[in-house]
Amino acid sequence: MKVWTVVNQKGGVGKTTSTISIAGSLSAQGYKVLLLDLDPHASLTYYLGFDAENLTSSLYDVFCQTPSEPFDIKQALQATKIKNVGLLPSHIALSTLDKRFGTAPGKGLVIKKALEQLGSQFDIAIIDCPPVLGVLMVNGLVAANAIVVPTQTEYLALRGLDRMLQTLEQLKPTLQDEVLTLVVATLFDRRVNACLASYTKMRDNYKAHMWRGYIPVDTKFRDASQQGLPINMIVKDSRGAFAYDKLTNELLKYAA
Ligand SMILES: Nc1ncnc2c1ncn2[C@@H]1O[C@H](COP(=O)(O)OP(=O)(O)OP(=O)(O)O)[C@@H](O)[C@H]1O
Ligand SMILES: [Mg+2]
């Protein structure tokens, strides 16, 4: 199983939207996909129709296990309405982990090890990270074969991207050797000058990591989230669905 981690220290840039949209695209192509919601806000979990506060098991249990009381990750697994897509849901208690574990050794490997238990049940796992550098994000990054960094095409988001890439550089010794890092321009509106300027700057400054396409602003994403489904299951021929299909194919080419 390959692991794709969707991450950015900046909030609201399209991480959760990218996670669900890539999953939709993979599902349509027949892949078995496991989604992990590592954000204590549980946006992805709610998106998929689960009430994160009332689930009996979640990714939190994976972090709380001990050698004498191991937790089988399969216990937290939920089936979703999307064909061949499973979910390991979030819980608000995930927000307490930084305080509890801080920089405790080995705590960055919890998710990587837990995924190894699943063997070949899924083809690709996609991890949705919180916009906070801490134990959860580190766990997502350490497990990754590909790191997808959605970046909104606007001035402030570019500063956030600098910070995120610095973080990746600092963590490099703990990341997988062949990890692919792909910066993805999101919420792009070609009619808006500020968007165009940011997009051009991104392509100039981050050439080594930039995906050549972009994700356009598309109101169909809102319709999709209202229905708890990926955009390609709502409007297959929308610009947004088409863009995420292209991104998914790029990831399949280099990290599957
Ligand atoms: N390409 C797009 N076109 C239109 N709306 C979008 C697009 N991408 C994301 N959105 C909307 O922008 C909002 C933020 O997106 P999303 O929740 O995916 O960001 P996020 O990075 O996961 O945020 P957070 O950091 O809070 O977890 C959502 O309302 C989502 O529907
Ligand atoms: Mg999110």
Side-chain angles (χ1 to χ4, degrees), residues 60-221:
Y60 182 62
D61 301 297
V62 179
F63 285 93
C64 293
Q65 65 183 324
T66 58
S68 56
E69 277 183 72
F71 177 76
D72 181 357
I73 197 169
K74 291 196 193 87
Q75 264 179 268
L77 190 58
Q78 299 283 345
T80 72
K81 287 182 282 185
I82 313 161
K83 194 175 172 209
N84 289 330
V85 176
L87 170 71
L88 289 168
S90 169
H91 190 277
I92 179 80
L94 283 172
S95 63
T96 63
L97 290 182
D98 273 314
K99 229 179 183 163
R100 276 182 58 186
F101 299 135
T103 51
K107 281 299 170 194
L109 288 167
V110 174
I111 292 296
K112 186 166 190 271
K113 284 186 181 156
L115 288 178
E116 280 162 11
Q117 287 175 18
L118 289 169
S120 56
Q121 192 176 339
F122 295 95
D123 301 308
I124 292 160
I126 312 178
I127 304 181
D128 186 17
C129 289
V132 179
L133 176 58
V135 170
L136 294 163
M137 188 188 283
V138 169
N139 264 274
L141 292 173
V142 167
N145 300 107
I147 296 170
V148 179
V149 188
T151 306
Q152 190 173 348
T153 37
E154 53 126 44
Y155 175 67
L156 283 178
L158 285 186
R159 306 221 9 213
L161 176 59
D162 263 339
R163 201 153 22 102
M164 191 61 231
L165 292 176
Q166 277 164 24
T167 300
L168 292 180
E169 201 50 44
Q170 282 159 9
L171 290 173
K172 206 169 182 178
T174 58
L175 304 181
Q176 308 227 15
D177 289 342
E178 301 292 318
V179 66
L180 167 80
T181 302
L182 209 56
V183 175
V184 175
T186 58
L187 288 143
F188 179 70
D189 187 341
R190 61 167 69 246
R191 297 161 305 181
V192 177
N193 281 337
C195 268
L196 269 171
S198 305
Y199 182 57
T200 308
K201 208 166 183 173
M202 267 165 99
R203 292 193 64 155
D204 289 346
N205 293 3
Y206 305 98
K207 254 191 207 108
H209 296 303
M210 276 302 286
W211 176 50
R212 274 165 302 148
Y214 61 80
I215 307 297
V217 166
D218 189 337
T219 55
K220 300 289 187 300
F221 285 106

Side-chain angles (χ1 to χ4, degrees), residues 43-75:
S43 305
L44 180 65
T45 302
Y46 284 109
Y47 190 119
L48 290 166
F50 298 95
D51 181 357
E53 283 181 43
N54 289 312
L55 291 169
T56 47
S57 300
S58 71
L59 281 170
Y60 182 62
D61 301 297
V62 179
F63 285 93
C64 293
Q65 65 183 324
T66 58
S68 56
E69 277 183 72
F71 177 76
D72 181 357
I73 197 169
K74 291 196 193 87
Q75 264 179 268

